Amino acid sequence: MSLFSLLLRGRSRPWLGLALLFASPVLMAATTPSASVESPGKILKVTLQVDGGTARYQVQRLGDAVVDASRLGFELRDGRLDRDFEITGSSTRAFDETWEQPWGERRLTRNHYNELTVSLRQTTGDKRRLDVVFRVFDDGVGFRYVFPQQPGLAEAIIDEELTEFAIAQPSTAWWIPAGEPIHYEYLYARTPLQEVPLAHTPITLRSDAGLHVAIHEAALVDYAGMWLRRTEGQRLRAQLSPSADGWKVRRALPFSTPWRTLQIADRAGGLVESDLILNLNEPNALGDVSWVKPSKYLGVWWSMHLDEESWATGRRHAATTAKTKKVIDFAAANGFRGVLVEGWNPGWHGNWVGNGYDFDFTRATPDFDIEALSAYGAKKGVHLVGHHETGCAIDHYEDQLGAALDLYARLGVDSFKTGYVCDDGQVDRRNPAGGPLLREWHDGQFMARHHLKVVQEAAARRLAVNPHEPIKDTGLRRTYPNWISREGARGMEYNAWGQPPNPPEHEVNLVFTRMLSGPMDYTPGVLSLKGRHGQAIPSTLARQLALYVVLYSPIQMAADLPVHYQQHLDAFQFIKDVAVDWEQTRVLDGEVGDFVTIVRRDRNSSDWFLGSITDEHGRVLPISLGFLEPGVRYRAEIYRDGDGADFRSNPFAFVRETREVTSADHLTLILGPGGGQAIRFKKGTEGINSN
Amino acid sequence: MSLFSLLLRGRSRPWLGLALLFASPVLMAATTPSASVESPGKILKVTLQVDGGTARYQVQRLGDAVVDASRLGFELRDGRLDRDFEITGSSTRAFDETWEQPWGERRLTRNHYNELTVSLRQTTGDKRRLDVVFRVFDDGVGFRYVFPQQPGLAEAIIDEELTEFAIAQPSTAWWIPAGEPIHYEYLYARTPLQEVPLAHTPITLRSDAGLHVAIHEAALVDYAGMWLRRTEGQRLRAQLSPSADGWKVRRALPFSTPWRTLQIADRAGGLVESDLILNLNEPNALGDVSWVKPSKYLGVWWSMHLDEESWATGRRHAATTAKTKKVIDFAAANGFRGVLVEGWNPGWHGNWVGNGYDFDFTRATPDFDIEALSAYGAKKGVHLVGHHETGCAIDHYEDQLGAALDLYARLGVDSFKTGYVCDDGQVDRRNPAGGPLLREWHDGQFMARHHLKVVQEAAARRLAVNPHEPIKDTGLRRTYPNWISREGARGMEYNAWGQPPNPPEHEVNLVFTRMLSGPMDYTPGVLSLKGRHGQAIPSTLARQLALYVVLYSPIQMAADLPVHYQQHLDAFQFIKDVAVDWEQTRVLDGEVGDFVTIVRRDRNSSDWFLGSITDEHGRVLPISLGFLEPGVRYRAEIYRDGDGADFRSNPFAFVRETREVTSADHLTLILGPGGGQAIRFKKGTEGINSN
């Protein structure tokens, strides 16, 4: 019970309810003892059953099986922990609180579940004990294992986790491959679930009957990331990310695993609106985090991806004092808080990729006067955004971490981006026994520890962190709100590089897959619609604006060059106006891989913002404005695809217009192929013209 | 041009706009002249092209092909009219009006299209002329052929219409078989489009990319109904319903064919919200139709389907004076306007099916005092609803039609149901040359004429008509608003008979297929949930109520026995309260074959009504109440599935509760498997209790 009290004594507020529901397992027969719990609205039901010594869970929803009987347990270095189980006890509790996000998709989040804890004990050998805790929400299920303190098992060496997810209904899956070199940066495959080999989470499923299920994990702390391998039919099994040591996870008891999560909704948008991942994380551990600033930023960045300038010093060096000053000026003139500078420090020579031992994080290159630029920015209300590319030399970076962060803290560089660009997807780790470097996966236990260490060191100095090529998001921003965003998917940079660029459906897919895990620093807003060597970006102009609403992040880059924004001042106005921190978020409509329309209310004003994007097909999407405050007139500032807009042939067809609307009105969004639409709804109607 | 002026001089009001857009065909090359037109919002584009003498049309939508090049033309008895064509002229016009339905899903309907007329002439033989007229709306396309007056072709004998529909995107189809004996009364098949053999319209398609298309026809007057035969791949071709004379259609020139229609929407609900079929029909031809009364009715009917009573006279005769009086009493006490009585007239002996020559429509059976009952009802504000079962003896019925309708008119029986129950799906027709009866299909030119004759004769006496086993609806209710409803699909009666009953997905399928053509007299509200011999009806209790909102008809039956309503007075209250005539209709959400949620505003009050039904899967459907009038408090009278409701195991789990809501609120509808939910939103909050 100590675990529960720990959880329930957390920082949640207001604390609304805790009640003992019923404490006895339903003992069905001598050979198949079981325990079960329903969600608060009696929509989902989870049952754990031990049959022949094997513990299996299943999930039902309104009479349908969602997850068929699926095995629980582990393969430990010194024995299987998935057999000879008996149930020694179980308990059920109800929990209902509403807590406040310091920043996020919505201010108030309800955490409402019924919890079932089942205590298992092996009947053989050391009679090892393992608890399984289920939290059953109306919109999904989280469960985790608890290894309680017990004689003869001071430390668990986990060779594999054996958790299964046997999806009951024939389903289509959207997924990216795991066990591959490129840190989550893939286009999403859409296949029958029964053709998935080995996938990362979140993996998103849609059954033939229209039920949407996403499998992921929450609170990945000091543990290996979970991949999903299909073992047969629609049965997936956990496969933990490896470590260089041979085992997958090594932990002293007692400890809990991350939560294994199933988000379940009839509408695709229901997955996006679910707060289950955040709710399964521990409350804010940092106290006052008012120093974490949701904001927009520009960068000394895109020019390097365009291959017009370079990270390394020399004639083409981007991060010079003079060039950065100009970007600071542009930021200040247009209301951006941040200016990211990459290539500001020594170490960017030719072979830095996967070989970051020459990076110095404690001083700038001679042509980049970081002290002067910080002071120059401060005068104008602009903060440099720091950058640490590790080249995957993890210990090397950790060695300098304290000094590097002290530098940033001193200069007012209150957020920074990290990078983990490896040559083969694996990072370098010093071998404590000496000898050649060890290689670790980017989402193994080693990197789970590393990322959290950086976040904690940053928090100690009131700095926010935005890792690229990161470990996946599992909702730890709730506990560490300075973990402000991350990459972890194929971002805008692929549109600079091409080979190929991101097709329009990719951004729609992101909403229903990657974005379920948390914010992404996608870096939208390339209004030139051009990548390297003039290559076309598969997007209309209006779509670039819609991405600011559709792809959530509390920090949003305006990724393009200032000179390009000056060429599209009408569209740029939306990027200047759009909020980044939200009071409320709703998915009006959407289908995985097809299109999505999201509305969000600014947390710092009464403005609403709408973003809608489609795949390579044009769409006609009628929407109701019922989300607006009733009885109030709004000015809708509409940025839409013009007649004939098409990402292939006519991407710049674009209309900016304003209309007076109320909550009783309807709009029909017309999106061209690869198109989008962005709208700001502002209270009051001054300045309305009816063009 | 006379055709246009004819159309545009019609009864439309207010008349908003007419403009010459551009009149010249786009001449692309000497060998492939073409003409094209876009919809008002530039969403759809239709192009007609003549290549090698063949005329083909295609439909594009926002850059995507929806219909690939598809042949136009006819096989006439004396020659092909689909080859050797040249374009002799074309013109384009814009049209925009808003007209008022006397009753319907919404009061005001906008009819907004651009029209393209292309004149074709054969270069060979008699140089025959054929015009094709396209009306291109933002939500679909209608086109028809015009046979202009011309030398050498006084009459067209059409052996086949050759119109093709080559669907461009890989699609799933929901369809029922044509050329089969049972007048449209099939469960809908869901197959790949490329597995459809021969189907009735409306046929509903969903592309893999999520585009919904429904193919149907509008204004089927003096012509044969169109079936669709798949000729190859996804190419469908018109196949007209046959006639006993060998040809399909015989018409004197000039004449126009019915409109061939394509409704096109991203959201499934967009098909349902489309008014295209009505817009393509001619305006009201009857003038004042205030005598057509949308209303609810009870019947001396369900007991016969339960096999507890009989249509025929004798001990089990249902239609007796005494029994009918009781139903009139129940109707009056509960606010129903009508009481349908079947079996009231002579002729219901054992072999009447398909053999209706003994029916007498001009007098009642001796135990049914129609004069007294009419008078009794009149005192209580209740009208008998007439009934004419023809047993498919069409001429026999037509012989008595005038007298039969005179009787009804005299007695205040101001609406009547007709029936065409045949033994093999074909009706009988006297052979003008003598000899055995001829057999006609229920949707051939003969029956198209017959049904319209009945409607016109009824209109002359201010009677409304509701045919069962009818010809399909093609929107003629716009022209003849006394054509108040019809059957034309598998209705509730199948749930009495079983073998098998209608599975839950059937009613969802109806919304997105059959209901696209117009109102259906489905006869919902069987609260006993029992058919013949106690057989279970696949529905929860709440679902029976939802059907009143979901399945549109301006006349709605409460099909169950009064004694059963007395056993479910809480649920019956909704049937008493629900409106039947609507100011406005919106599909909040839905997927073909899965679920649907519809809201409608009463035309005679400020009440809104919501109906939601699902297939065999439970659903959790969050909805916004933004459709309500802003700033007003409503009492939501909720009739929903109770915990654990399931059409298989727990159909009577049912909750009636009230809540106070506004347009800013959200509700989550929880539907059990085979379940539903019905809500009345009433302005003001008196009587709210928070149970």
Side-chain angles (χ1 to χ4, degrees):
Chain A
M1 286 300 105
S2 62
L3 180 73
F4 302 133
S5 6
L6 185 71
L7 288 169
L8 300 175
R9 272 204 317 272
R11 288 158 195 271
S12 317
R13 67 190 161 91
W15 195 94
L16 290 183
L18 168 66
L20 192 67
L21 280 184
F22 50 89
S24 61
V26 182
L27 293 169
M28 288 165 58
T31 51
T32 58
S34 71
S36 65
V37 64
E38 286 189 309
S39 67
K42 299 187 190 304
I43 291 164
L44 292 175
K45 180 180 181 182
V46 171
T47 305
L48 184 147
Q49 184 164 318
V50 173
D51 190 0
T54 302
R56 295 184 180 85
Y57 75 99
Q58 49 189 296
V59 181
Q60 287 170 295
R61 183 177 194 263
L62 295 172
D64 280 332
V66 176
V67 179
D68 284 331
S70 294
R71 177 177 294 232
L72 297 165
F74 294 88
E75 193 179 321
L76 302 184
R77 178 56 55 98
D78 61 351
R80 297 283 289 246
L81 190 60
D82 70 329
R83 52 183 62 161
D84 304 331
F85 279 132
E86 62 178 359
I87 295 178
T88 60
S90 74
S91 61
T92 318
R93 282 170 186 269
F95 188 80
D96 190 357
E97 67 170 6
T98 298
W99 58 279
E100 185 170 339
Q101 294 197 55
W103 49 264
E105 302 93 325
R106 59 187 57 77
R107 192 167 59 81
L108 295 176
T109 298
R110 186 168 180 193
N111 188 7
H112 188 198
Y113 58 82
N114 290 333
E115 183 176 86
L116 168 69
T117 301
V118 182
S119 295
L120 302 171
R121 187 176 56 200
Q122 289 186 304
T123 54
T124 54
D126 288 345
K127 299 193 188 305
R128 283 180 173 164
R129 287 163 47 215
L130 182 69
D131 293 348
V132 189
V133 182
F134 294 92
R135 290 192 180 163
V136 186
F137 302 75
D138 283 338
D139 66 353
V141 175
F143 63 96
R144 67 176 176 186
Y145 301 95
V146 180
F147 283 77
Q149 199 140 23
Q150 53 193 290
L153 191 64
E155 184 185 60
I157 298 180
I158 298 175
D159 279 334
E160 196 56 279
E161 180 180 322
L162 302 175
T163 307
E164 290 180 340
F165 303 86
I167 301 302
Q169 300 174 30
S171 295
T172 299
W174 285 262
W175 59 279
I176 54 172
E180 299 279 342
I182 310 175
H183 343 79
Y184 312 115
E185 296 179 4
Y186 292 89
L187 298 177
Y188 279 79
R190 172 189 173 157
T191 71
L193 172 54
Q194 57 183 12
E195 292 176 11
V196 173
L198 179 65
H200 278 300
T201 72
I203 182 174
T204 297
L205 314 176
R206 184 172 64 208
S207 80
D208 293 352
L211 187 70
H212 295 78
V213 175
I215 309 175
H216 188 45
E217 59 182 309
L220 169 51
V221 176
D222 200 5
Y223 200 84
M226 179 177 72
W227 304 345
L228 294 173
R229 177 174 294 287
R230 197 175 55 83
T231 56
E232 55 167 354
Q234 294 201 140
R235 188 173 295 266
L236 304 170
R237 210 203 67 195
Q239 175 174 325
L240 298 180
S241 181
S243 86
D245 299 308
W247 57 73
K248 300 294 183 69
V249 171
R250 185 168 181 165
R251 289 283 294 273
L253 271 62
F255 74 94
S256 310
T257 69
W259 296 92
R260 280 63 189 93
T261 62
L262 293 145
Q263 287 161 287
I264 306 171
D266 284 285
R267 310 300 298 135
L271 299 180
V272 181
E273 290 177 338
S274 164
D275 290 313
L276 183 134
I277 303 290
L278 281 180
N279 278 330
L280 289 170
N281 274 272
E282 297 297 309
N284 177 3
L286 303 182
D288 169 39
V289 288
S290 57
W291 44 271
V292 177
K293 303 290 189 191
S295 55
K296 285 171 283 188
Y297 69 104
L298 293 159
V300 174
W301 183 73
W302 185 245
S303 64
M304 293 178 272
H305 288 285
L306 292 179
D307 206 18
E308 294 176 359
E309 298 186 299
S310 69
W311 280 269
T313 49
R315 189 182 51 82
R316 298 171 69 242
H317 192 211
T320 68
T321 303
K323 289 176 180 170
T324 304
K325 227 170 177 171
K326 282 191 189 164
V327 180
I328 290 173
D329 290 343
F330 187 78
N334 291 285
F336 291 81
R337 184 180 190 274
V339 171
L340 165 72
V341 185
E342 295 201 358
W344 67 278
N345 61 331
W348 290 91
H349 50 63
N351 65 341
W352 63 269
V353 171
N355 182 28
Y357 286 90
D358 289 340
F359 280 120
D360 185 336
F361 305 100
T362 61
R363 62 190 175 93
T365 57
D367 55 347
F368 186 81
D369 187 344
I370 190 169
E371 304 268 348
L373 286 166
S374 302
Y376 183 75
K379 277 192 304 186
K380 301 192 160 208
V382 175
H383 293 245
L384 292 181
V385 174
H387 182 239
H388 292 159
E389 172 54 53
T390 67
C392 298
I394 304 304
D395 310 278
H396 175 73
Y397 176 45
E398 288 193 6
D399 288 346
Q400 299 180 56
L401 187 59
L405 300 190
D406 287 345
L407 172 68
Y408 279 165
R410 180 171 62 77
L411 296 176
V413 179
D414 57 5
S415 70
F416 64 104
K417 172 176 171 179
T418 55
Y420 298 87
V421 180
C422 317
D423 42 5
D424 59 359
Q426 292 184 276
V427 302
D428 296 324
R429 175 183 150 205
R430 265 186 218 122
N431 190 337
L437 292 169
L438 301 177
R439 311 303 307 282
E440 294 283 359
W441 287 87
H442 69 288
D443 56 357
Q445 186 178 17
F446 174 78
M447 284 302 283
R449 285 177 174 162
H450 167 72
H451 281 287
L452 200 51
K453 178 189 174 92
V454 174
V455 166
Q456 287 168 329
E457 291 287 338
R461 292 164 181 84
R462 303 195 148 205
L463 308 179
V465 188
N466 165 28
H468 279 228
E469 305 84 33
I471 195 166
K472 65 182 164 185
D473 198 343
T474 58
L476 284 166
R477 61 178 160 138
R478 180 177 179 195
T479 315
Y480 304 98
N482 69 318
W483 203 333
I484 189 101
S485 194
R486 80 185 74 196
E487 192 181 41
R490 219 175 192 265
M492 180 64 79
E493 60 191 17
Y494 281 79
N495 288 335
W497 311 337
Q499 307 162 3
N502 298 328
E505 70 161 23
H506 176 63
E507 287 148 349
V508 182
N509 281 332
L510 284 178
V511 171
F512 297 105
T513 53
R514 161 66 181 83
M515 303 308 293
L516 302 181
S517 73
M520 177 179 176
D521 186 30
Y522 186 79
T523 73
V526 178
L527 302 189
S528 64
L529 302 180
K530 293 281 184 298
R532 197 177 283 188
H533 312 310
Q535 168 181 283
I537 291 178
S539 169
T540 66
L541 184 57
R543 178 193 186 88
Q544 287 297 311
L545 309 181
L547 295 176
Y548 285 88
V549 183
V550 165
L551 300 175
Y552 171 66
S553 175
I555 53 164
Q556 288 280 24
M557 190 176 202
D560 209 346
L561 309 180
V563 62
H564 292 156
Y565 290 128
Q566 276 154 346
Q567 291 161 4
H568 296 281
L569 289 175
D570 50 354
F572 185 51
Q573 186 64 44
F574 184 83
I575 300 178
K576 290 165 65 173
D577 291 342
V578 67
V580 290
D581 194 18
W582 307 106
E583 179 73 18
Q584 221 176 104
T585 286
R586 289 195 207 129
V587 182
L588 293 190
D589 204 357
E591 297 290 349
V592 190
D594 291 341
F595 68 93
V596 65
T597 304
I598 296 181
V599 292
R600 308 187 194 265
R601 198 183 113 209
D602 183 12
R603 197 183 287 203
N604 299 305
S605 77
S606 53
D607 290 0
W608 281 87
F609 289 85
L610 176 148
S612 183
I613 60 172
T614 180
D615 60 1
E616 71 276 20
H617 300 285
R619 307 278 172 185
V620 181
L621 305 172
I623 59 161
S624 154
L625 302 186
F627 55 87
L628 297 175
E629 186 180 327
V632 173
R633 293 191 173 292
Y634 287 80
R635 183 178 68 222
E637 299 169 0
I638 300 172
Y639 301 75
R640 64 172 175 83
D641 291 331
D643 289 344
D646 188 318
F647 75 105
R648 293 159 296 216
S649 56
N650 195 10
F652 289 103
F654 173 80
V655 173
R656 179 167 183 255
E657 63 191 1
T658 59
R659 286 181 57 177
E660 182 180 340
V661 299
T662 73
S663 72
D665 287 324
H666 290 73
L667 290 181
T668 297
L669 313 180
I670 303 177
L671 279 54
Q677 185 162 151
I679 307 179
R680 178 200 199 187
F681 297 94
K682 193 168 177 53
K683 272 193 189 175
T685 58
E686 316 96 273
I688 285 199
N689 53 58
S690 55
N691 55 328
Chain B
M1 286 298 104
S2 64
L3 181 74
F4 301 133
S5 6
L6 185 72
L7 287 168
L8 298 175
R9 273 204 316 270
R11 290 158 196 271
S12 316
R13 66 186 161 96
W15 196 95
L16 291 184
L18 169 67
L20 192 67
L21 282 182
F22 50 88
S24 60
V26 181
L27 294 168
M28 288 164 60
T31 52
T32 59
S34 70
S36 65
V37 64
E38 286 189 309
S39 67
K42 299 186 187 304
I43 291 164
L44 294 175
K45 180 180 180 181
V46 171
T47 305
L48 184 147
Q49 185 164 317
V50 173
D51 190 359
T54 302
R56 296 185 179 87
Y57 74 99
Q58 50 189 296
V59 181
Q60 287 171 295
R61 183 177 193 262
L62 296 172
D64 280 332
V66 177
V67 179
D68 282 332
S70 294
R71 178 178 295 232
L72 297 164
F74 294 88
E75 193 178 319
L76 301 185
R77 178 58 53 100
D78 61 351
R80 297 283 288 249
L81 190 58
D82 70 328
R83 53 182 63 159
D84 303 331
F85 278 132
E86 61 178 358
I87 296 179
T88 59
S90 74
S91 59
T92 316
R93 281 171 186 269
F95 188 80
D96 189 357
E97 68 171 5
T98 296
W99 59 279
E100 184 170 340
Q101 295 197 53
W103 48 264
E105 301 94 325
R106 58 187 57 78
R107 192 166 61 79
L108 295 177
T109 298
R110 187 170 179 192
N111 187 9
H112 189 198
Y113 58 81
N114 290 332
E115 185 175 85
L116 168 69
T117 300
V118 182
S119 296
L120 302 171
R121 186 175 57 198
Q122 289 185 304
T123 54
T124 53
D126 288 345
K127 300 194 188 308
R128 286 184 171 161
R129 287 164 47 215
L130 182 68
D131 292 349
V132 190
V133 182
F134 294 91
R135 291 192 180 163
V136 187
F137 302 76
D138 282 339
D139 66 353
V141 175
F143 63 95
R144 67 174 176 186
Y145 301 94
V146 179
F147 283 77
Q149 199 139 23
Q150 52 193 290
L153 191 65
E155 185 185 57
I157 298 181
I158 298 174
D159 279 334
E160 195 56 280
E161 179 179 322
L162 302 176
T163 308
E164 290 181 340
F165 303 86
I167 301 301
Q169 299 174 31
S171 295
T172 299
W174 285 262
W175 58 280
I176 54 172
E180 299 279 342
I182 312 176
H183 342 78
Y184 311 115
E185 296 179 3
Y186 293 89
L187 298 178
Y188 280 79
R190 171 189 172 158
T191 71
L193 172 55
Q194 58 183 11
E195 292 175 12
V196 173
L198 179 65
H200 277 300
T201 71
I203 181 173
T204 297
L205 315 176
R206 184 173 63 208
S207 80
D208 294 352
L211 187 70
H212 295 79
V213 175
I215 309 174
H216 188 44
E217 60 182 309
L220 169 50
V221 176
D222 200 5
Y223 200 84
M226 179 178 71
W227 305 344
L228 293 174
R229 177 175 295 286
R230 197 175 55 83
T231 55
E232 56 165 354
Q234 293 201 142
R235 188 175 294 267
L236 304 170
R237 210 203 66 195
Q239 176 174 324
L240 298 179
S241 181
S243 87
D245 298 308
W247 56 72
K248 300 293 182 70
V249 170
R250 184 168 181 164
R251 288 282 294 273
L253 271 61
F255 73 95
S256 308
T257 68
W259 295 92
R260 281 64 190 92
T261 62
L262 293 146
Q263 288 161 286
I264 306 171
D266 284 285
R267 310 301 297 133
L271 298 181
V272 181
E273 290 177 340
S274 164
D275 290 313
L276 182 135
I277 303 290
L278 281 180
N279 278 330
L280 289 170
N281 274 271
E282 297 297 310
N284 177 3
L286 302 182
D288 170 38
V289 288
S290 57
W291 45 271
V292 177
K293 303 290 190 192
S295 55
K296 285 172 284 188
Y297 69 103
L298 293 158
V300 175
W301 183 73
W302 185 245
S303 65
M304 295 179 270
H305 287 286
L306 292 179
D307 206 18
E308 293 175 359
E309 297 185 302
S310 69
W311 280 270
T313 50
R315 188 180 52 81
R316 299 170 69 243
H317 191 211
T320 68
T321 304
K323 289 175 180 171
T324 304
K325 227 169 178 174
K326 282 191 189 167
V327 181
I328 290 173
D329 290 343
F330 187 79
N334 291 285
F336 290 81
R337 185 181 189 274
V339 171
L340 165 72
V341 186
E342 295 200 359
W344 67 279
N345 62 329
W348 290 91
H349 50 63
N351 65 342
W352 64 269
V353 171
N355 182 27
Y357 286 88
D358 290 340
F359 281 120
D360 185 336
F361 303 101
T362 61
R363 61 190 176 92
T365 57
D367 55 348
F368 186 80
D369 188 342
I370 191 169
E371 305 267 350
L373 285 166
S374 300
Y376 183 75
K379 277 192 303 186
K380 301 192 160 208
V382 174
H383 293 246
L384 291 182
V385 175
H387 182 239
H388 292 160
E389 172 53 55
T390 66
C392 298
I394 305 303
D395 309 277
H396 175 73
Y397 177 45
E398 287 193 6
D399 289 345
Q400 300 180 56
L401 187 58
L405 299 189
D406 287 344
L407 172 69
Y408 279 165
R410 179 171 63 78
L411 296 176
V413 180
D414 57 4
S415 71
F416 64 103
K417 171 176 171 178
T418 55
Y420 297 86
V421 180
C422 316
D423 43 6
D424 58 359
Q426 290 184 276
V427 303
D428 297 325
R429 175 183 149 205
R430 266 187 219 122
N431 189 337
L437 293 169
L438 301 177
R439 312 303 307 281
E440 294 282 1
W441 286 87
H442 70 288
D443 56 357
Q445 187 180 15
F446 175 79
M447 286 302 284
R449 286 177 173 161
H450 166 74
H451 281 287
L452 200 51
K453 178 190 174 89
V454 174
V455 166
Q456 288 168 329
E457 290 288 337
R461 293 162 180 85
R462 302 194 150 208
L463 308 180
V465 188
N466 165 28
H468 280 227
E469 304 83 34
I471 196 166
K472 65 182 165 185
D473 198 344
T474 56
L476 285 166
R477 61 177 159 136
R478 180 178 179 191
T479 314
Y480 304 99
N482 70 320
W483 202 335
I484 189 102
S485 195
R486 80 185 75 196
E487 192 181 40
R490 219 175 191 265
M492 180 65 79
E493 60 191 17
Y494 280 80
N495 288 335
W497 312 337
Q499 308 161 5
N502 298 329
E505 70 161 22
H506 176 62
E507 287 148 348
V508 182
N509 280 332
L510 284 179
V511 171
F512 296 105
T513 54
R514 161 65 181 82
M515 304 307 294
L516 302 182
S517 73
M520 176 180 176
D521 187 30
Y522 186 79
T523 74
V526 179
L527 303 188
S528 64
L529 303 179
K530 293 283 185 299
R532 196 177 284 188
H533 313 310
Q535 169 182 283
I537 291 178
S539 169
T540 65
L541 184 57
R543 178 193 185 86
Q544 287 297 311
L545 309 180
L547 294 176
Y548 285 87
V549 183
V550 165
L551 299 176
Y552 170 65
S553 176
I555 54 164
Q556 286 280 23
M557 188 175 203
D560 209 347
L561 309 179
V563 61
H564 292 156
Y565 289 128
Q566 277 153 346
Q567 291 161 4
H568 296 282
L569 289 176
D570 50 353
F572 185 51
Q573 186 62 45
F574 183 83
I575 300 178
K576 290 165 65 172
D577 292 341
V578 68
V580 290
D581 194 18
W582 308 105
E583 179 72 18
Q584 218 176 106
T585 286
R586 289 197 205 128
V587 182
L588 292 190
D589 205 358
E591 296 290 349
V592 189
D594 291 341
F595 68 92
V596 66
T597 303
I598 296 180
V599 292
R600 305 187 196 267
R601 200 184 111 207
D602 183 13
R603 198 183 287 202
N604 300 304
S605 77
S606 53
D607 289 0
W608 279 87
F609 290 85
L610 175 148
S612 183
I613 60 172
T614 180
D615 61 1
E616 71 277 19
H617 300 285
R619 304 281 171 185
V620 181
L621 305 172
I623 59 161
S624 155
L625 302 186
F627 55 87
L628 297 175
E629 187 180 326
V632 173
R633 292 191 172 291
Y634 288 80
R635 184 177 67 224
E637 299 168 1
I638 299 172
Y639 301 75
R640 65 172 174 83
D641 292 331
D643 289 344
D646 189 318
F647 75 105
R648 292 159 299 215
S649 56
N650 196 9
F652 290 101
F654 173 80
V655 172
R656 178 168 182 256
E657 63 191 2
T658 59
R659 286 179 57 178
E660 182 180 342
V661 298
T662 74
S663 71
D665 287 324
H666 290 73
L667 290 181
T668 297
L669 313 179
I670 303 177
L671 279 55
Q677 185 162 152
I679 308 179
R680 177 199 199 191
F681 297 93
K682 194 170 176 52
K683 270 193 189 176
T685 58
E686 315 96 273
I688 284 200
N689 52 60
S690 56
N691 55 330

